[in-house]
Structures are given as structure tokens and as C-alpha cells.
Amino acid sequence: MPKEFPVVWFQGAACSGCAISVLNSLSPTIKNVLLDELVPGKHINLKFMPTIMTGSGKIVMDILLETQKAKDYILIVEGAIPENGFGDIGEKSMESVVEELAEDASAIVSLGSCSAFGGIPKGNPNPTKVKSVEKFLDFKNIKKPVINIPGCPPHPDWFVGTVANILLFGIPELDELSRPRLFYGKLIHENCERRPYFDKGKFAKKFSDEGCLYELGCKGPYTNADCPIRSWNSGVNWCIQNGSPCIGCVEPEFPDLEAMYKKTKWNNK
């Protein structure tokens, strides 16, 4: 019998886009992830995930409680954590539920930029006073290993690859922002197909122009992710290949650093 790894997927202040992205994983498919052995001899047992659970109410909350009592599960948090009064689940505040779940988890994965850094819910003026998972755990003085997988949304490979790494080798090597170096180790700028234009000083002045998108607000020079070599939409394209500047969605400053299509502040120093 394969070893079972129970997983609880908690959804906080977010749009569910991260869940939808991961559910569209190409290889392995989400069916393979949930029903097969993701790595030989090891199987993920997804106990709780509101987006795809068919049940609701007390029945599913009891499953969550039973999993929590058994302990040693992987806790995946999608979305930021709002202050009390701005989000409830099972007639309890999101804050209190995440606090209880985090205490008994073996490891925590913050999926998406909202969970990793606050993301759009934390955008100025942050009306619901949301926190990222790491900052929330620090505030509650809960010491647990946290892996951040930011992105708006994150690429499905970043999530599935990280989970597979955990099952095979334990927590992967992380950067200073708790992101796996395997996926966030290099700048967009380093592998961008328009990099030769930048080196030659040929910059696009409007979106349909040939040239580097730097002058149109591209944040690739300070954004760490492997989008240029991985691509999106089942490998079809990615933002810059589609004519849009990188908006830096995997960085902590997103979305407040600068308007999407305006040169970044660091660029104007």
C-alpha cells in the first residue's frame, strides 16, 4: 500500500484562480495527482478543498476537524488571511481556523501571491487588513516551515513540482522569500526571448512594436520566475510572447509597486 499524505486545502481571501490554475495541470494531470501515486509508493490524500468538494456544511467541516485531530497533514493555503469580521468558515473566523490548522500541520504551502505576500487583497488601502500566511504565523508566534509559491495565478507545474519534491526529498531549497529556487531561481529578464532587443537598446514604444517591452512597464528585470522557459496554457505561450509586459506578479511588491504598464520606480532612479 502506498503511504498516504493527507492534505488540507484552505481558501482565504482570494478569487479561486490559483485553484483553477492547478486543476488545469497538464502533466501530470490533476486526476493523476489526486488518484495515482504522484511519486512511487506515495499518494496524496486530499481531504478538504471547498472548490471541488461536492458536499457542504457540517459534513465537510467534520472531515476538516477529523483531519486536524489526526495531525501531520500538509496545509495548503490559497488566499490571504483577513482580519476578524471579514471572512468566516464553519461559523468561525478565517483567522482562527488557519491558526488551528497551522498548529497541527507538518508543513504549510502558501499557494498564490495573495497567500505568499498578500497580493491584490493587500493592495492599498487594504480594507480587510489581510496578511500573508508567513506574516500571520509570525504574528501568532507559530513556528512552522512555509513554502511560498507566488503567482497570480501560480503555474500548475510550480505547485505539482514542489509537492512532488516534498514527497521525494523533503522541503526544496528556498530563496530569501521562501520560494523554491527550482522555479524562482532566475530573473524573467535572463531568459526572455526579447532580451537581445534590450541589449541592443531597441525598445517598443507601443504594444504592437517589435522590441523590448522595458519602456512599456515590463517588470521582467526584477521578477524571478521561469515563465520564459516553461510557458503557460499547456506550453502555448506566456505574457511577453503574447505582447504584454511582465507585471511582476510573483514579487512581494505586486500590485502596488507601480501601474502595470508604467515604468517601475527602480527604473526611474
Side-chain angles (χ1 to χ4, degrees):
M1 289 289 289
K3 183 178 179 181
E4 294 280 332
F5 287 81
V7 171
V8 170
W9 188 305
F10 179 88
Q11 292 178 293
C15 65
S16 299
C18 301
I20 299 304
S21 178
V22 170
L23 290 172
N24 281 287
S25 176
L26 178 64
S27 180
T29 66
I30 195 64
K31 169 183 167 294
N32 298 138
V33 172
L34 297 180
L35 301 181
D36 302 334
E37 295 177 15
L38 184 57
V39 298
K42 298 179 179 179
H43 174 248
I44 288 176
N45 187 353
L46 183 59
K47 294 282 192 176
F48 183 89
M49 183 188 185
T51 296
I52 61 173
M53 292 178 83
T54 55
S56 62
K58 185 176 184 303
I59 294 174
V60 298
M61 292 309 296
D62 285 346
I63 293 172
L64 180 62
L65 188 60
E66 288 168 10
T67 308
Q68 184 186 348
K69 285 181 178 175
K71 300 186 178 181
D72 292 331
Y73 46 84
I74 298 171
L75 174 62
I76 298 167
V77 180
E78 176 188 358
I81 313 303
E83 199 172 69
N84 279 338
F86 291 105
D88 290 352
I89 176 172
E91 300 183 2
K92 299 170 73 173
S93 72
M94 286 183 176
E95 269 196 350
S96 61
V97 176
V98 171
E99 184 177 357
E100 292 169 5
L101 289 172
E103 291 278 9
D104 295 318
S106 56
I108 300 170
V109 176
S110 293
L111 182 64
S113 292
C114 300
S115 180
F117 305 128
I120 290 175
K122 188 173 174 288
N124 186 45
N126 190 5
T128 59
K129 310 298 180 189
V130 300
K131 296 181 180 67
S132 69
V133 171
E134 270 195 314
K135 288 193 173 179
F136 176 74
L137 297 181
D138 285 344
F139 179 68
K140 295 292 182 180
N141 198 27
I142 298 174
K143 307 298 182 186
K144 291 285 179 178
V146 175
I147 303 170
N148 286 329
I149 306 179
C152 190
H155 195 293
D157 290 359
W158 300 342
F159 172 73
V160 176
T162 299
V163 173
N165 197 102
I166 292 172
L167 299 185
L168 282 169
F169 311 115
I171 294 176
E173 182 185 1
L174 305 177
D175 67 8
E176 67 280 6
L177 296 173
S178 302
R179 304 176 297 192
R181 290 191 186 278
L182 179 64
F183 305 112
Y184 301 91
K186 290 187 179 296
L187 291 167
I188 294 278
H189 197 53
E190 293 179 74
N191 293 306
C192 180
E193 62 211 45
R194 297 202 187 203
R195 174 62 186 267
Y197 291 127
F198 177 88
D199 293 340
K200 292 178 181 177
K202 184 176 182 178
F203 298 101
K205 302 302 180 188
K206 59 181 185 297
F207 291 115
S208 58
D209 282 353
E210 189 178 39
C212 175
L213 299 171
Y214 182 78
E215 298 285 342
L216 296 173
C218 183
K219 294 164 181 62
Y222 88 102
T223 300
N224 285 70
D226 65 1
C227 302
I229 58 175
R230 187 167 302 280
S231 290
W232 287 70
N233 305 318
S234 303
V236 173
N237 60 5
W238 66 293
C239 296
I240 289 177
Q241 191 175 34
N242 204 38
S244 168
C246 168
I247 60 174
C249 73
V250 301
E251 297 298 329
E253 296 84 1
F254 174 79
D256 280 342
L257 175 63
E258 194 56 90
M260 283 188 185
Y261 304 124
K262 185 177 178 181
K263 289 171 70 173
T264 50
K265 290 175 182 174
W266 59 266
N267 189 30
N268 293 327
K269 287 179 181 177

